[in-house]
Amino acid sequence: MRATHLILALGILVATPPLVAAQDHDPTTSVKGSGLPDGWMLRFDPPRRGPVPPTTAVNFRAMGPGWHLTSGPAALYYRTADRASGNYTVSATISQAKSSGHEAYGLFIGGNDLQGAKQNYVYMVVHAQGGKFLINHRTSDAPPTSLVAYTESSAVHKEDASTGAASNTLAIRVQGDMLHFLINGTEVKTLKASEIPDFSTTGIAGLRLNHNLDVHIADFGVKK
């Protein structure tokens, strides 16, 4: 009997995850939005738990000139009209009036199957608090592939020490097989598209915006 009780007790310990593992150390802010501006779509990152949230879980709205986002879960924001091929440049100025903490924001290119199981795109984001940028390639709901890990760069406008405000103009330029990544007019990285497996520069270009942000987006567009 004692041996049986010991086995049962050990089974309970193995089957029950520790409490700390169940805790969420990076919770997503609850936001009440009213839908998306005309022409815009979004694709949330795979949820950590539970169902995919509704579009009202973010507040993305037209605010002239440009758009303002309060999030909410991390997502891509895009318009199907911004599908590009050949040589082109996507750019935007993204500004924060207060600190975004450890969160980042940026642009993506080559977006395909953005509402499907094989979503595919390359994105660059900046982390204004740390003065860093990152470049990743996502091909599914699995974690993205790192192309450039978070790297410090003097090109990134860091947050103001007292207010947390910052503004960064980002661009991704496609020229033939070359991808040029620019921050505030300075090229911070160049990659060959052909060296990124299963990636095509032909696709939708848009915004990559993490969770828990409060930012303004101006001058977003795709130019040939």
Side-chain angles (χ1 to χ4, degrees):
M1 288 294 291
R2 290 180 179 177
T4 300
H5 289 163
L6 178 61
I7 292 171
L8 288 173
L10 288 173
I12 292 172
L13 288 173
V14 171
T16 304
L19 180 60
V20 67
Q23 294 176 344
D24 190 344
H25 296 287
D26 189 21
T28 295
T29 303
S30 179
V31 172
K32 181 62 176 177
S34 56
L36 301 175
D38 289 344
W40 284 90
M41 301 179 68
L42 66 73
R43 169 70 183 257
F44 287 115
D45 280 5
R48 297 172 185 171
R49 60 184 66 85
V52 175
T55 58
T56 52
V58 300
N59 192 9
F60 184 62
R61 59 199 184 278
M63 183 182 290
W67 299 268
H68 199 91
L69 169 75
T70 307
S71 57
L76 298 182
Y77 297 80
Y78 64 93
R79 302 175 295 196
T80 56
D82 291 320
R83 184 173 181 84
S85 61
N87 296 333
Y88 62 89
T89 300
V90 57
S91 60
T93 297
I94 305 177
S95 305
Q96 57 188 72
K98 60 183 179 181
S99 175
S100 291
H102 64 273
E103 296 307 328
Y105 43 78
L107 304 168
F108 75 89
I109 62 168
N112 285 284
D113 197 27
L114 294 181
Q115 296 297 325
K118 297 181 179 180
Q119 58 173 324
N120 196 321
Y121 58 92
V122 163
Y123 66 95
M124 173 181 70
V125 293
V126 296
H127 175 221
Q129 186 182 64
K132 302 176 182 179
F133 73 94
L134 169 146
I135 304 173
N136 280 346
H137 178 211
R138 186 185 287 278
T139 58
S140 67
D141 278 350
T145 299
S146 175
L147 301 178
V148 178
Y150 267 121
T151 302
E152 289 190 24
S153 173
S154 59
V156 178
H157 292 166
K158 297 181 71 172
E159 294 181 357
D160 181 88
S162 59
T163 66
S167 182
N168 286 280
T169 298
L170 312 177
I172 305 175
R173 181 180 301 143
V174 179
Q175 291 181 312
D177 189 39
M178 304 305 296
L179 308 180
H180 303 270
F181 298 86
L182 299 98
I183 301 174
N184 298 311
T186 298
E187 185 169 281
V188 295
K189 189 67 179 180
T190 302
L191 298 173
K192 284 188 175 182
S194 59
E195 294 180 352
I196 304 174
D198 302 317
F199 174 69
S200 170
T201 58
T202 297
I204 293 173
L207 302 163
R208 163 73 204 187
L209 303 169
N210 279 8
H211 77 158
N212 300 345
L213 291 176
D214 187 351
V215 294
H216 190 79
I217 300 101
D219 302 322
F220 167 75
V222 181
K223 298 179 181 179
K224 296 292 287 185

